[in-house]
Amino acid sequence: MIGEVNFYGVYFPSLLVMMVIAFAASSLLRRALARLGLYRVVWHRSLFNFALYVIVLGG
Protein backbone atom coordinates (compact mmCIF):
# COMPACT_ATOMS: atom_id res chain seq x y z
CA MET A 1 0.00 0.00 0.00
CA ILE A 2 1.32 3.43 -0.91
CA GLY A 3 1.85 5.73 2.07
CA GLU A 4 1.28 8.98 0.19
CA VAL A 5 -0.08 10.16 -3.14
CA ASN A 6 1.75 12.96 -4.91
CA PHE A 7 -0.57 15.40 -6.69
CA TYR A 8 1.40 18.22 -8.34
CA GLY A 9 3.86 18.39 -5.48
CA VAL A 10 1.27 18.13 -2.71
CA TYR A 11 1.31 14.88 -0.77
CA PHE A 12 -1.98 13.40 0.37
CA PRO A 13 -2.39 10.35 2.61
CA SER A 14 -3.64 7.37 0.64
CA LEU A 15 -6.52 6.88 3.08
CA LEU A 16 -7.78 10.39 2.27
CA VAL A 17 -7.80 9.58 -1.44
CA MET A 18 -9.64 6.32 -0.78
CA MET A 19 -12.18 8.15 1.41
CA VAL A 20 -12.96 10.63 -1.37
CA ILE A 21 -13.40 7.83 -3.90
CA ALA A 22 -15.60 5.88 -1.47
CA PHE A 23 -17.73 8.98 -0.86
CA ALA A 24 -18.29 9.43 -4.58
CA ALA A 25 -19.16 5.76 -5.05
CA SER A 26 -21.51 5.68 -2.06
CA SER A 27 -23.27 8.83 -3.22
CA LEU A 28 -23.93 7.15 -6.57
CA LEU A 29 -25.24 4.09 -4.75
CA ARG A 30 -27.48 6.24 -2.53
CA ARG A 31 -28.93 7.93 -5.58
CA ALA A 32 -29.61 4.55 -7.21
CA LEU A 33 -31.20 3.19 -4.03
CA ALA A 34 -33.44 6.25 -3.78
CA ARG A 35 -34.61 5.85 -7.38
CA LEU A 36 -35.36 2.18 -6.84
CA GLY A 37 -37.35 3.00 -3.70
CA LEU A 38 -35.34 0.73 -1.43
CA TYR A 39 -35.18 3.36 1.31
CA ARG A 40 -38.77 2.49 2.18
CA VAL A 41 -37.59 -0.64 4.00
CA VAL A 42 -34.72 1.10 5.84
CA TRP A 43 -35.40 2.02 9.45
CA HIS A 44 -32.83 4.81 9.91
CA ARG A 45 -31.64 6.32 6.65
CA SER A 46 -28.62 8.15 8.08
CA LEU A 47 -27.25 5.05 9.79
CA PHE A 48 -27.81 3.05 6.62
CA ASN A 49 -25.94 5.65 4.56
CA PHE A 50 -23.04 5.62 7.03
CA ALA A 51 -22.89 1.82 6.98
CA LEU A 52 -22.97 1.87 3.18
CA TYR A 53 -20.05 4.33 3.16
CA VAL A 54 -18.01 2.16 5.54
CA ILE A 55 -18.67 -0.94 3.46
CA VAL A 56 -17.62 0.82 0.25
CA LEU A 57 -14.52 2.23 1.96
CA GLY A 58 -13.56 -1.20 3.25
CA GLY A 59 -14.08 -2.77 -0.15
Side-chain angles (χ1 to χ4, degrees):
M1 179 178 204
I2 300 171
E4 296 171 337
V5 176
N6 186 3
F7 187 69
Y8 292 109
V10 179
Y11 290 97
F12 293 104
S14 60
L15 182 61
L16 178 66
V17 175
M18 289 189 298
M19 289 173 73
V20 170
I21 293 169
F23 179 75
S26 66
S27 66
L28 290 174
L29 282 172
R30 283 188 316 226
R31 200 172 289 161
L33 290 174
R35 283 190 184 214
L36 292 174
L38 294 176
Y39 277 120
R40 290 177 293 149
V41 296
V42 173
W43 172 67
H44 200 289
R45 186 174 181 164
S46 298
L47 287 175
F48 181 79
N49 288 339
F50 178 68
L52 180 68
Y53 172 74
V54 170
I55 290 169
V56 171
L57 180 61

